[in-house]
Amino acid sequence: MTTTHSISVNINGQTYARVVEARMTLADFLRHEIGLTGTHLGCEHGVCGACTVLIDGRSARSCLTFAVQMNGRTLTTVEGLNVAVGLSPLQQAFQEHHGLQCGFCTSGMLMTLTELLSDNPDPTEQEVREVLTGHLCRCTGYAGPVRAALAAAEHLKGIKGAA
Amino acid sequence: MKPAPFEYHAPASLDEAVALLATLDNAKVIAGGQSLVAMMNFRYAMPDHLIDLGNIASLSGLHFDAQILRIGSMTRQREIEFSAALANKVPLLKAALAHVGHRQTRNRGTLGGSLAHADPAAELPTVCLALDAEIEIVGAAGARVVPMRDFTNGFMTTALGYDEILVAVHIRPWRLGHGYSFQEYARRHGDFAVAGAAVLLDANHDGVIERASVALCGVADRPIRRDEAETALVGQVLDESIIARVASLAGDVEATGDIHGDATYRRHLARVLTTRALREASSRMTTKKRETA
């Protein structure tokens, strides 16, 4: 019954080949097989949003996806957001605008907001709040993350305008 | 918790998937997995075989012909939400999708998966019921089409046989300019609805309602149509007294109760949400002269 499968996945620009059990979730695969522990695992049933990653650029719950389904796909985790030196503009904005306290939900929020800002560089506060409904945060009351997202959008527009 | 062990199959064609489903014991089909994997993590569901429809390209996508819109069962909720053509032809779908889970689950969740899962509080089965959608099914014994009214049989139970796969949903769009609204109450945005109401209205150029559809979710063991409310709408020009009467008829149902709300509360919600949906649908309706007599 415990059949295994060979998969090859591109994660943060690097290709990984592994043999996985069918029942291994993508979250457990990232954390335990690849060692990318920036993806956090909270509720394990798709409610809290801590495990959110990008699958082919689209935000998704890694606890509601099996690793075997990711063969040939391109993933981005929070570790893939780092720029060459220091933090990405979104991460920087989270630091500056009290976007986190304990940090457990943060990596998931960063992935969702990365998708939002790439789809829509000029989101309204309502649009930011709408995508953040998919994330539970018990520290910030969401005000900080919303401010951070809007500040990051402003900053990114500035960079684009200057280029 | 972690899922129990299972064997994984990813057929490349529908025929292959149907053959696997017919021959394997305790097999389950996985679409977007946004409900099933959660159930497997809790071990509410423990299939021995999982048949993934994700590699069957023919199951995804929207196809319009003159009268009928065909949505493949594996079409992601995201694609439906952001389709400009759908927003124009079947705006009720987009309105309801705003309440379906979250961006992160709609990116993977599918239309067919939501219908086959058949949660009584789910928005998409309710919308399909309001639209008189037809469900295209393929199994070892062949293909068949089931009206949405006969598709849900009870709590998370559908007309799908153990060896059958939901292939597509057929929708006949209403006249352009019809009124539509989806209203629901949930404790937090994106949570399961305690109750919800879908309303479609169409009127002639004098504002007299010629066609109406009222469907509710969360009040019974399956989504339900409110035929009495619809009958009371047809032939009327909407005003607050008609709305109050229709909403009262819509809420006059044998409702279910659970820890999220008892039957009396759900009947109350059905009345309030139907009222709001009628007002919004009416305000959106363009009572221009009909293009066809």
Side-chain angles (χ1 to χ4, degrees):
Chain A
M1 196 57 65
T2 54
T3 51
T4 55
H5 300 261
S6 295
I7 61 167
S8 169
V9 195
N10 184 299
I11 307 169
N12 303 330
Q14 198 179 325
T15 303
Y16 297 86
R18 290 286 190 280
V19 174
V20 296
E21 242 189 287
R23 66 166 167 163
M24 175 169 272
T25 64
L26 174 58
D28 284 340
F29 176 75
L30 290 169
R31 292 177 57 82
H32 302 307
E33 291 294 317
I34 309 298
L36 294 173
T37 52
T39 298
H40 293 164
L41 201 47
C43 70
E44 292 190 85
H45 64 287
V47 172
C48 77
C51 71
T52 300
V53 299
L54 301 185
I55 302 174
D56 295 329
R58 292 282 163 233
S59 62
R61 310 290 206 219
S62 61
C63 74
L64 296 186
T65 309
F66 292 113
V68 62
Q69 297 179 290
M70 293 297 103
N71 189 30
R73 310 296 283 274
T74 299
L75 309 179
T76 310
T77 69
V78 69
E79 289 90 347
L81 296 185
N82 290 337
V83 288
V85 180
L87 300 172
S88 75
L90 180 62
Q91 291 169 315
Q92 189 71 43
F94 261 66
Q95 186 184 59
E96 285 167 12
H97 295 273
H98 197 82
L100 68 148
Q101 186 173 310
C102 84
F104 195 85
C105 69
T106 312
S107 42
M109 283 200 187
L110 290 171
M111 302 320 291
T112 287
L113 291 171
T114 297
E115 179 194 35
L116 177 71
L117 294 178
S118 112
D119 284 351
N120 176 4
D122 194 16
T124 64
E125 178 177 338
Q126 182 57 34
E127 285 165 332
V128 169
R129 286 186 176 276
E130 212 167 278
V131 298
L132 286 182
T133 60
H135 296 272
L136 295 183
C137 174
R138 302 294 83 173
C139 302
T140 63
Y142 304 97
V146 171
R147 271 200 306 274
L150 293 171
E154 277 304 310
H155 178 80
L156 288 165
K157 269 191 292 180
I159 293 176
K160 225 176 170 183
Chain B
M1 244 172 107
K2 310 293 179 188
F6 60 86
E7 276 193 55
Y8 176 78
H9 310 266
S13 73
L14 181 59
D15 286 349
E16 212 184 313
V18 168
L20 283 167
L21 194 55
T23 50
L24 297 171
D25 281 336
N26 190 23
K28 186 96 183 142
V29 165
I30 182 168
Q34 300 301 287
S35 300
L36 179 58
V37 180
M39 290 171 74
M40 290 174 69
N41 287 352
F42 277 125
R43 302 202 181 191
Y44 291 147
M46 290 193 284
D48 289 320
H49 297 273
L50 207 56
I51 302 169
D52 192 342
L53 302 183
N55 292 344
I56 308 175
S58 65
L59 292 180
S60 290
L62 315 169
H63 305 277
F64 295 90
D65 73 15
Q67 263 93 48
I68 296 186
L69 158 68
R70 183 181 185 273
I71 308 179
S73 59
M74 281 296 290
T75 309
R76 308 281 171 183
Q77 290 159 9
R78 178 198 178 84
E79 197 184 329
I80 298 169
E81 183 180 0
F82 290 105
S83 159
L86 272 181
N88 185 35
K89 285 179 192 293
V90 196
L92 182 63
L93 266 177
K94 188 182 169 109
L97 273 164
H99 300 276
V100 177
H102 306 280
R103 170 67 55 82
Q104 303 83 359
T105 60
R106 294 195 296 272
N107 279 342
R108 285 191 68 74
T110 65
L111 174 62
S114 174
L115 295 184
H117 186 62
D119 189 295
E123 294 85 359
L124 291 174
T126 310
V127 164
C128 287
L129 182 66
L131 287 160
D132 288 307
E134 290 180 328
I135 313 302
E136 186 183 333
I137 295 168
V138 169
R144 64 192 179 112
V145 172
V146 177
M148 191 62 202
R149 274 185 189 256
D150 301 326
F151 181 73
T152 45
N153 292 337
F155 183 75
M156 297 176 85
T157 308
T158 70
L160 282 169
Y162 285 104
D163 59 352
E164 287 184 318
I165 293 173
L166 199 166
V167 170
V169 178
H170 301 188
I171 292 170
R172 284 175 183 78
W174 284 39
R175 182 189 65 94
L176 283 179
H178 69 272
Y180 65 94
S181 177
F182 191 91
Q183 299 287 327
E184 79 169 39
Y185 176 70
R187 301 216 182 259
R188 286 169 298 263
H189 183 83
D191 275 10
F192 286 105
V194 180
V199 165
L200 292 163
L201 293 176
D202 202 3
N204 69 10
H205 55 275
D206 293 322
V208 177
I209 302 290
E210 294 187 329
R211 195 180 174 196
S213 179
V214 179
L216 302 175
C217 64
V219 300
D221 64 352
R222 70 197 85 178
I224 50 170
R225 278 283 285 272
R226 302 299 302 124
D227 297 327
E228 300 88 338
E230 293 170 14
T231 308
L233 279 164
V234 173
Q236 305 290 335
V237 176
L238 272 197
D239 60 25
E240 280 302 313
S241 75
I242 301 281
I243 288 175
R245 184 160 148 258
V246 170
S248 163
L249 285 168
D252 188 15
V253 289
E254 197 172 320
T256 50
D258 62 20
I259 54 163
H260 303 293
D262 64 18
T264 308
Y265 179 55
R266 283 191 149 86
R267 278 194 293 272
H268 168 74
L269 281 179
R271 282 192 295 274
V272 171
L273 295 168
T274 303
T275 303
R276 289 178 190 169
L278 286 167
R279 283 184 190 142
E280 186 175 59
S282 164
S283 74
R284 282 170 167 167
M285 185 167 54
T286 318
T287 54
K288 65 182 179 190
K289 201 165 180 174
R290 280 179 165 280
E291 290 134 42
T292 53

